[in-house]
Amino acid sequence: MTGKRYSTATAVALICAATVLTAPGTAFASPASAPASPARQPTDPTPRSDKSLEQVRKEIEKLYHDAGVATDAYNAAEEKAEKQSEQIVKLAKDIAKGQAKLEKLKARAGAAARAQYRGGGMPAEARLMLSDDPGQFLDGAGRVRQGEKATKGMLTELERTQEDLRIYAKDATARWKKLEANRKAKAASKKEIKKKIADAEKLESRLEKKERERLRKLEEAAALKKQSAWVSSGVLKDISGKATPQGKRAIEFATAQIGKPYVWGAEGPGSYDCSGLTSKAWAAAGRGIPRTSQEQWKQLPRIDIKNMRPGDLIIYHSDASHVGLYVGDGAIVHAPRPGRDVTIAGAGSMKILGVVRPDK
């Protein structure tokens, strides 16, 4: 894994860190227990207690979670819109070909009608029967039958082409309506994403610099506590699978993106959202997978955690709104949320919904 592979010692370090951060008596000091400091001016804001700051952390976490759900909806609508646009383009080409064919058939039908008019309106059969030359009559009769067959075939083809064009037009209209519905869905999701992120940023902006630092430590402590509980359950003892060649390539791609910012809807190369990272990682490995974490959960084969191997995708939260790529030894690489960069994290630092496998 190009020097970025996590070892068992890393998992142990995570457990130790979680234990230290969450052990009784080692919680972050509240202002009441802090050393005496110069008297505050009446205009200074009252510092938040850890309990109050923890509530802010949970509110921010929920807002970013909701933004993640909206991001998945936006990405799904985007993916559908792209497919619908491709289908509409194909239909437009089919319609153009059909119209060209129809014009040729109409021209042939017109030529046949003009030929009959020039013959004085007398049916060709009658003109041939009045002929004094029996051979000419027999030859002409054959040509009449051939002509009738060709004319009948031309009219049938004309009708079929007109019906095809009608179906194409109807299908194109239906797809345009779906495309417009998806456009509205994208716009609604985009608005929701921006609102949730703005609300989260507003909450965080109200904090003083030191409080923001404490908030970051609370986030880390909460993640480490969950990871510690997950590892302590003994789950890693049963996980011994090895990455496939494709899985290794996916991991190499994903870990090479570490440090790049999370941006909702992004698929690289400069930034990613969670499913943008996993879908591009597996695309780099030669395996196309669904764009969103929810569709990855729905469409890819599900694997029991004990059978998990590096390269598998871990889906998080009951609504499948987050995904990370398992790199081994109890760790994932993922794009966490707005304001954070692609990073390595504990696989158990969030609530696991399940595991899916892109390759067989």
Side-chain angles (χ1 to χ4, degrees):
M1 285 177 48
T2 65
K4 292 183 179 177
R5 181 176 175 82
Y6 257 38
S7 62
T8 305
T10 305
V12 173
L14 287 170
I15 298 171
C16 293
T19 304
V20 170
L21 285 167
T22 58
T26 60
F28 298 106
S30 66
S33 60
S37 59
R40 285 179 169 269
Q41 298 297 324
T43 55
D44 287 347
T46 304
R48 294 174 184 268
S49 66
D50 282 344
K51 185 176 181 180
S52 173
L53 204 55
E54 174 64 13
Q55 183 60 38
V56 171
R57 184 193 70 78
K58 288 180 178 179
E59 288 179 28
I60 290 175
E61 185 179 76
K62 184 180 186 306
L63 286 167
Y64 280 127
H65 168 266
D66 292 346
V69 174
T71 298
D72 237 24
Y74 176 90
N75 290 335
E78 176 77 9
E79 191 172 33
K80 286 180 182 177
E82 287 177 2
K83 289 180 181 178
Q84 287 162 353
S85 295
E86 290 172 2
Q87 291 166 346
I88 289 171
V89 168
K90 183 181 181 302
L91 280 169
K93 290 179 179 178
D94 289 340
I95 289 172
K97 288 179 183 177
Q99 286 176 332
K101 183 178 180 182
L102 187 62
E103 290 303 316
K104 288 182 181 178
L105 288 169
K106 283 181 177 179
R108 285 171 57 191
R114 287 192 296 274
Q116 185 175 1
Y117 176 76
R118 285 194 298 269
M122 181 184 291
E125 296 94 326
R127 293 199 307 274
L128 289 170
M129 289 180 71
L130 293 173
S131 172
D132 294 332
D133 187 342
Q136 183 185 8
F137 172 77
L138 292 173
D139 290 343
R143 287 197 299 273
V144 166
R145 285 194 296 272
Q146 290 175 357
E148 286 178 341
K149 186 177 180 181
T151 301
K152 185 177 180 181
M154 180 184 67
L155 292 174
T156 300
E157 192 174 3
L158 185 65
E159 290 175 1
R160 187 186 302 119
T161 301
Q162 288 174 324
E163 178 62 15
D164 286 345
L165 283 171
R166 187 189 67 77
I167 292 171
Y168 290 155
K170 184 179 179 182
D171 197 6
T173 300
R175 292 187 187 281
W176 271 116
K177 288 180 179 178
K178 288 182 179 179
L179 187 64
E180 178 63 13
N182 269 320
R183 186 193 67 76
K184 291 179 179 178
K186 277 174 58 181
S189 295
K190 186 175 183 179
K191 185 177 180 181
E192 180 73 5
I193 293 164
K194 288 187 172 182
K195 182 181 183 304
K196 296 297 182 183
I197 292 175
D199 288 346
E201 289 174 344
K202 187 177 179 180
L203 265 178
E204 199 163 354
S205 70
R206 290 173 181 170
L207 303 175
E208 293 183 349
K209 183 179 179 180
K210 288 184 178 179
E211 288 177 330
R212 286 197 292 272
E213 291 172 357
R214 285 167 55 207
L215 178 67
R216 184 67 178 256
K217 289 179 180 178
L218 284 174
E219 288 178 353
E220 293 171 355
L224 287 169
K225 185 176 181 181
K226 291 175 184 176
Q227 173 72 359
S228 173
W230 185 70
V231 175
S232 296
S233 70
V235 65
L236 293 179
K237 294 177 182 177
D238 297 322
I239 300 174
S240 58
K242 294 183 178 180
T244 61
Q246 272 191 314
K248 288 179 181 178
R249 290 198 295 273
I251 293 168
E252 287 171 0
F253 178 93
T255 53
Q257 312 313 309
I258 290 174
K260 294 182 180 180
Y262 176 106
V263 174
W264 64 268
E267 300 177 78
S271 57
Y272 296 87
D273 63 19
C274 66
S275 55
L277 177 65
T278 54
S279 60
K280 285 299 181 181
W282 271 101
R287 173 80 169 91
I289 63 173
R291 168 64 177 87
T292 70
S293 58
Q294 292 177 342
E295 288 304 310
Q296 289 169 6
W297 174 242
K298 287 179 184 177
Q299 297 184 34
L300 298 178
R302 298 181 184 180
I303 305 298
D304 194 291
I305 287 181
K306 67 182 180 182
N307 298 321
M308 184 167 63
R309 69 189 183 201
D312 288 344
L313 304 181
I314 302 182
I315 309 296
Y316 294 95
H317 311 307
S318 60
D319 51 12
S321 58
H322 192 70
V323 60
L325 192 149
Y326 186 59
V327 296
D329 296 323
I332 59 167
V333 58
H334 73 144
R337 65 164 176 82
R340 299 289 185 263
D341 299 330
V342 175
T343 188
I344 295 286
S349 60
M350 296 166 283
K351 185 174 179 56
I352 295 175
L353 176 61
V355 181
V356 294
R357 176 164 293 165
D359 58 339
K360 302 296 182 182

